[in-house]
Amino acid sequence: MTNKQQVKTNSSDTSSRLRELANAPVGKLLVKYSLPAVVGTVVMALYNIIDSIVIGHAIDDPNVVAGIAVTFPVMNLATALGMLIGAGAATRISIVLGQNDKRMAEIILGNCVQLTLIIGLMYITAFAIFLEPILKMFGASPKTIPYAKEFLTWLLPGMVLINLTFSYNNVMRASGYPGKAMYTNFIGAGLNVILAPLFLFGFKWGIRGAAIATDISMLVTSFFVMGHFLNKKSTLHFKRGTFKLNFKVITSVLYIGMAPFLINVAGACINAVINNSLLKYGGDNAIAAVVVFNRFVTIFVFIVIGICQGMQPILGYNYGARKFDRLFRTLFLAAGTSVCITTIGSIVGAISPRFIASMFMQDENQILCAINCLKITTVGFWMVGLQIVATNFFQSLGMATKAVFLSLTRQVIFMIPLLFILPPHFGLNGVWSAFPISDFTSTVLAVCMLIWQIRHIRRLAEREKKDDLRTETINENYK
């Protein structure tokens, strides 16, 4: 095949992928884009769950579970810095592809990869220097800090690889490769599921074995993701001249990426407040219990996130192309499905708390604490699916301010005040009760914002139709 024929073939493939976003039936399209994302995110959730199960049963010390818990805020901060760039890049690329500006999409890609590496090296250095005081701030006790410090010391070098893997996996999906994006998660999860038990049970490396397994898995998957963008046959690929940092491009990406960034930063802050409240009212056992809750709901939240990842390129492209009917059908279908998923999570958490807790821990006192935690915290979890979809809807349309505000309601605006108000009166149960109350209030607010935005877009669509008709009339009269 000649170079001209190859270029023509690649261009035809790219056009067909983009035409599909504009014209294929919405239900079929959402399944096509969401199913690989859901499979991929569920695999990642299972990989995190299996990691926790292996650590909880391989190391005969109940403090290890609480030690892992206090590392979550640090990992959330690292993830937040990666998503600040990666999520913004995926959304901007979807929108500009909808506007048929492939060159700008490649400039965004080149700028963002370079920025991810720069920021990654900066935060790894900062965490390495201040690791112990950071862990104490996030609720580590003298019994748990050795485990937390050892785990993160070995994991930190791989954090930038995690950013490259997950952030640009989203870009891969947004540019028309949902299936390939799914394979990325399979590669990472499959390697980790094999290596973690080998390093912990076989080599007896302790908690550092789990961290090393993650590092190796992310190294392999980051090569796979970056290899996709080095391939000239891909819809988007690295090109000379696209890596020069462009202030306008970076600003537009960071503006949109601010929503998931603040979600993760808020998650880190809320984890710090929760861990310190749990340490005060329930001790290390209560901190271990919240690991069980987080790992359990993760699988349902990740399914919803997978649906949102599949929804994002469809929304972004059709919003850029002004196809609002397709926009709304995609939103309603994704929201209904997500609520069904989180409702299942609420039911399972209510009827099987002992079974869930026993998967992650061996100590009976910890198990009893986790059972109480699950019974209370999962009461309002069924509403979370709608809140997540609403936040991603605004992010997918480039409405970063609304997405940021909505993302902060559940974790900061409602949760943090509740954590200061309820525990002094109700003790440990007050900490657990803050979860369903914040779920309810944030979802009600999300629904109100969503209804207002839908009405606004419909009014905009009507005005655009009238303007088009007026233009056609003027052209006819001119003829």
Side-chain angles (χ1 to χ4, degrees), residues 217-229:
S217 301
M218 288 302 104
L219 177 64
V220 174
T221 50
S222 64
F223 279 144
F224 180 80
V225 172
M226 291 298 105
H228 168 82
F229 293 110

Side-chain angles (χ1 to χ4, degrees), residues 293-304:
F293 167 73
N294 282 331
R295 287 305 189 227
F296 168 68
V297 300
T298 289
I299 192 163
F300 300 98
V301 169
F302 272 34
I303 292 173
V304 174

Side-chain angles (χ1 to χ4, degrees), residues 369-386:
C369 189
I371 289 171
N372 185 48
C373 165
L374 285 168
K375 285 181 176 178
I376 298 173
T377 53
T378 55
V379 167
F381 181 67
W382 65 273
M383 296 175 280
V384 171
L386 182 55

Side-chain angles (χ1 to χ4, degrees), residues 278 289 293 296-297 345-346 348-351 353 368-384 415 422 426-440:
L278 292 174
F293 167 73
F296 168 68
V297 300
S346 276
V348 174
I351 64 177
L368 290 174
C369 189
I371 289 171
N372 185 48
C373 165
L374 285 168
K375 285 181 176 178
I376 298 173
T377 53
T378 55
V379 167
F381 181 67
W382 65 273
M383 296 175 280
V384 171
M415 176 74 87
L422 297 177
F426 303 102
L428 183 57
N429 283 343
V431 180
W432 302 139
S433 298
F435 286 79
I437 295 172
S438 63
D439 289 340
F440 173 76

Side-chain angles (χ1 to χ4, degrees), residues 193-204:
V193 167
I194 294 168
L195 294 177
L198 176 65
F199 292 168
L200 271 81
F201 289 109
F203 295 171
K204 306 292 183 184

Side-chain angles (χ1 to χ4, degrees), residues 79-92:
T79 302
L81 289 163
M83 292 301 288
L84 175 65
I85 305 161
T91 300
R92 283 294 304 152

